């Protein structure tokens, strides 16, 4: 959608998530995850097994990320591709970071569970976009013991149908040659080297390796952690995240969700603990999201937040150093009511596209109650409706009309009014057609099919 709420592109139906614009071979692309089901056999909520699809700016499929690894899936579940729903982050080296979840048997007695218990072992993978080869992998179970998880067993962990989601990986970022890995259920973000060793960890309440957390800087159940260095020496960094601070849907005493940014001294030193940079909330529209969500820094310094389980998006302007809690909300949108509709991630990005498909034109007899009748002095009885799914930068529609489908003349240009434009069909036209006019172009970009008036 545009920032004025007009639809731009409506994608495929089914289990699709994590739609965003990224860069591949120095060109903008559209990527999203598509899978066999977000829960597989309805036993494991908020996970999936599927593929990540990469489309160019004509919406042509140019790559498919389908990691082939050895995973144990829930009973009765089959999948041709095994990428999880949570991450699909492209890197500058033409690879993609994806998550995967593997049902694994392990001893859970240290967490007051069964000795022969079952967990979801969370995997971080780096996959080649050109060959599909898994170039790097990391297992949470090999590096993070199960004790200490904030996620209760609650009857899980006893069989492969209901394994314990003890770690819950939901974001990965390439930081230099290392990997930033976020665990929702440990309230912890880890920096891991290529050998798989944990270099440091920051925990939401204790601070982990960084010392005491600042007032207003604690976090829990977080999503979408991202790190940026603040100096060339890489001794100072800022960690952004979507701090859900809640894990139970509909709980009556939900804690406010915040856009949290912490300034870190590197390497970690408890004597110089994290300092709070932002902890953004909107006092006019407080939200306590229990799942999902994003907090991304835009190129102009604004922070853009998609509130996950709550169907809300907000853009905050840069804030003064003296005010870390209430940034100015300069844009907001709601696309549903409460948590009845959700979006795993939301982004504000620049996207320019020309689909390979043709514009779609429909001609219908005008509704007698339509206000559009007043716009036609000639008393035309038909209206044209034109849309072009996925097209951007269209400013107008050249209208062609005539008595023969092979002899059409341009009779005017209708201003593009959002996703679907309605225009008056000339009364004496037997056939009509439209052509897309893009900003800055003198020629028509693409034409629709010719439509017979009264026979659409």
């Amino acid at each position: 959608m545009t920032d004025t709420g007009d639809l731009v592109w409506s994608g495929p139906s089914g289990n699709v998530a994590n739609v965003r614009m990224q860069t591949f071979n120095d060109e903008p692309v559209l990527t999203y995850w598509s899978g066999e089901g977000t829960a597989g056999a309805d036993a494991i909520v908020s996970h999936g097994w599927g593929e990540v699809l990469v489309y160019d700016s004509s919406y042509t499929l140019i790559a498919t990320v389908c990691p082939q690894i050895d995973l144990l899936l829930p009973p009765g579940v089959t999948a041709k591709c095994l990428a999880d729903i949570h991450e699909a982050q492209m890197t500058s080296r033409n690879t993609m970071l994806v998550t995967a979840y593997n049902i694994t048997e392990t001893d859970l007695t240290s967490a007051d569970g069964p000795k022969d218990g079952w967990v979801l072992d969370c995997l971080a993978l780096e996959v080649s976009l050109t060959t599909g080869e898994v170039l790097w992998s990391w297992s949470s179970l090999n590096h993070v013991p199960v004790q200490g998880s904030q996620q209760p067993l609650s009857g899980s962990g006893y069989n492969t149908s209901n394994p314990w989601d003890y770690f819950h990986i939901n974001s990965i970022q390439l930081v230099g040659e290392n990997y930033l890995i976020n665990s929702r259920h440990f309230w912890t973000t880890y920096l891991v080297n290529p050998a798989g060793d944990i270099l440091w960890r920051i925990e939401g309440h204790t601070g982990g390796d960084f010392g005491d957390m600042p007032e207003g800087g604690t976090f829990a159940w977080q999503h979408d952690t991202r790190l940026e260095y603040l100096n060339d020496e890489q001794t100072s960094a800022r960690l952004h995240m979507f701090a859900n601070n809640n894990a139970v849907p509909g709980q009556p005493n939900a804690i406010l969700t915040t856009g949290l940014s912490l300034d870190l001294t590197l390497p970690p030193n408890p004597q110089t603990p994290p300092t709070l940079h932002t902890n953004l909330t909107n006092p006019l529209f407080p939200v306590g999201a229990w799942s999902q969500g994003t907090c991304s820094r835009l190129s102009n310094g604004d922070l853009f937040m998609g509130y996950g389980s709550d169907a809300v998006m907000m853009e905050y302007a840069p804030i003064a150093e003296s005010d870390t809690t209430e940034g100015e909300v300069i844009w907001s949108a709601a696309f549903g009511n409460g948590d009845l509709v959700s979006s795993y991630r939301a982004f504000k990005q620049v996207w320019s596209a020309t689909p390979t498909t043709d514009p779609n034109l429909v001609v219908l007899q005008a509704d007698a109650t339509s206000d559009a009748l007043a716009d036609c002095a000639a008393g035309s009885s038909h209206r044209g409706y034109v849309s072009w799914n996925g097209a951007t930068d269209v400013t107008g529609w050249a209208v062609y009309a005539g008595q023969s489908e092979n002899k059409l003349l341009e009779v005017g240009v209708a201003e593009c009014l959002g996703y679907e434009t309605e225009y008056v069909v000339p009364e004496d036209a037997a056939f009509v057609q439209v052509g897309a006019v893009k900003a800055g172009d003198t020629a028509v970009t693409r034409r629709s099919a010719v439509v017979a008036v009264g026979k659409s």
Side-chain angles (χ1 to χ4, degrees):
M1 55 174 283
T2 67
D3 58 5
T4 57
D6 290 317
L7 179 65
V8 174
W9 176 74
S10 178
S13 60
N15 292 307
V16 174
N18 214 5
V19 181
R20 63 180 302 187
M21 190 276 288
Q22 301 195 71
T23 301
F24 178 41
N25 286 332
D26 297 324
E27 295 292 335
V29 294
L30 193 69
T31 67
Y32 61 83
W33 176 92
S34 177
E36 286 77 9
T38 55
D42 294 329
I44 304 174
V45 179
S46 75
H47 301 293
W49 294 272
E51 59 193 3
V52 182
L53 304 176
V54 183
Y55 291 84
D56 66 14
S57 58
S58 69
Y59 300 95
T60 299
L61 181 65
I62 59 173
T64 301
V65 178
C66 180
Q68 298 299 310
I69 51 179
D70 186 18
L71 297 185
L72 178 62
L73 305 184
V77 174
T78 59
K80 65 176 183 178
C81 295
L82 300 175
D84 172 62
I85 194 172
H86 285 95
E87 187 61 280
Q89 179 87 16
M90 283 185 169
T91 74
S92 58
R93 53 199 191 194
N94 282 345
T95 61
M96 180 175 283
L97 303 174
V98 298
T99 51
Y101 280 72
N102 185 29
I103 298 176
T104 306
E105 187 173 14
T106 193
D107 186 350
L108 297 181
T109 54
S110 62
D112 297 326
K115 181 175 179 58
D116 53 349
W118 295 89
V119 300
L120 286 172
D121 182 18
C122 293
L123 306 179
L125 308 174
E126 184 173 9
V127 182
S128 169
L129 281 163
T130 54
T131 67
E133 179 185 2
V134 176
L135 304 175
W136 179 83
S137 65
W138 182 86
S139 157
S140 64
L141 200 56
N142 288 343
H143 295 90
V144 182
V146 295
Q147 63 268 28
S149 174
Q150 301 290 341
Q151 177 72 2
L153 272 165
S154 300
S156 64
Y158 288 86
N159 53 55
T160 57
S161 297
N162 190 19
W164 183 30
D165 186 8
Y166 90 103
F167 189 84
H168 197 93
I169 186 174
N170 59 26
S171 68
I172 317 167
Q173 178 192 2
L174 186 65
V175 180
E177 293 299 314
N178 301 316
Y179 302 86
L180 193 75
I181 295 175
N182 187 61
S183 167
R184 169 176 165 88
H185 290 174
F186 268 82
W187 303 355
T188 300
T189 298
Y190 304 84
L191 188 70
V192 174
N193 67 17
D197 304 317
I198 296 174
L199 301 178
W200 53 252
R201 53 185 286 276
I202 180 168
E203 199 272 346
H205 281 198
T206 67
D209 298 324
F210 287 85
D212 295 337
M213 298 294 282
E215 182 179 356
T218 60
F219 59 88
W221 313 107
Q222 72 287 350
H223 280 78
D224 198 35
T225 60
R226 306 295 175 189
L227 187 79
E228 59 175 328
Y229 289 116
L230 299 179
N231 58 16
D232 293 338
E233 295 77 20
Q234 300 182 0
T235 59
S236 179
R238 183 165 293 156
L239 185 70
H240 301 285
M241 70 181 68
F242 183 82
N244 296 81
N245 299 319
N246 304 282
V248 180
Q251 60 184 2
N253 299 313
I255 304 170
L256 286 182
T257 294
T258 65
L260 183 65
S261 300
L262 297 169
D263 287 347
L264 310 177
T265 298
L266 299 174
N269 183 354
Q271 301 305 312
T272 55
T275 58
L276 182 64
H277 180 67
T278 64
N279 194 0
L280 298 176
T281 60
N282 181 359
L284 300 178
F285 197 94
V287 179
W290 70 272
S291 71
Q292 310 168 83
T294 45
C295 178
S296 54
R297 187 175 68 84
L298 305 181
S299 58
N300 63 357
D302 291 0
L303 284 175
F304 185 83
M305 294 177 63
Y307 282 82
S309 58
D310 286 52
V312 179
M313 300 175 286
M314 299 183 196
E315 181 178 348
Y316 292 83
I319 63 175
E321 293 294 331
S322 59
D323 179 11
T324 60
T325 58
E326 293 184 9
E328 179 188 3
V329 177
I330 60 173
W331 181 91
S332 64
F335 52 92
N337 183 25
D339 62 357
L340 297 178
V341 178
S342 67
S343 175
Y344 172 52
R345 285 177 172 170
F347 300 92
K348 182 178 182 180
Q349 300 175 298
V350 177
W351 175 245
S352 181
T354 302
T356 56
T357 57
D358 294 332
N360 187 41
L361 173 63
V362 173
V363 176
L364 298 175
Q365 189 166 6
D367 186 340
T369 63
S370 173
D371 292 338
L373 283 174
D375 298 332
C376 184
S380 174
S381 59
H382 288 81
R383 300 291 178 268
Y385 300 87
V386 57
S387 60
W388 195 9
N389 190 36
T392 63
D393 311 314
V394 176
T395 58
W397 295 101
V399 179
Y400 306 90
Q403 290 298 309
S404 168
E405 59 182 319
N406 298 318
K407 293 182 179 180
L408 302 180
L409 297 177
E410 183 176 339
V411 295
V413 177
E415 180 186 359
C416 182
L417 300 174
Y419 184 79
E420 183 179 67
T421 295
E422 177 185 0
Y423 70 92
V424 175
V425 175
E427 181 63 27
D428 59 349
F431 296 89
V432 291
Q433 185 185 38
V434 295
V437 179
K438 287 203 169 191
D441 290 344
T442 57
V444 167
T445 301
R446 191 81 51 77
R447 293 194 185 196
S448 71
V450 177
V451 175
V453 176
K455 297 181 179 181
S456 175

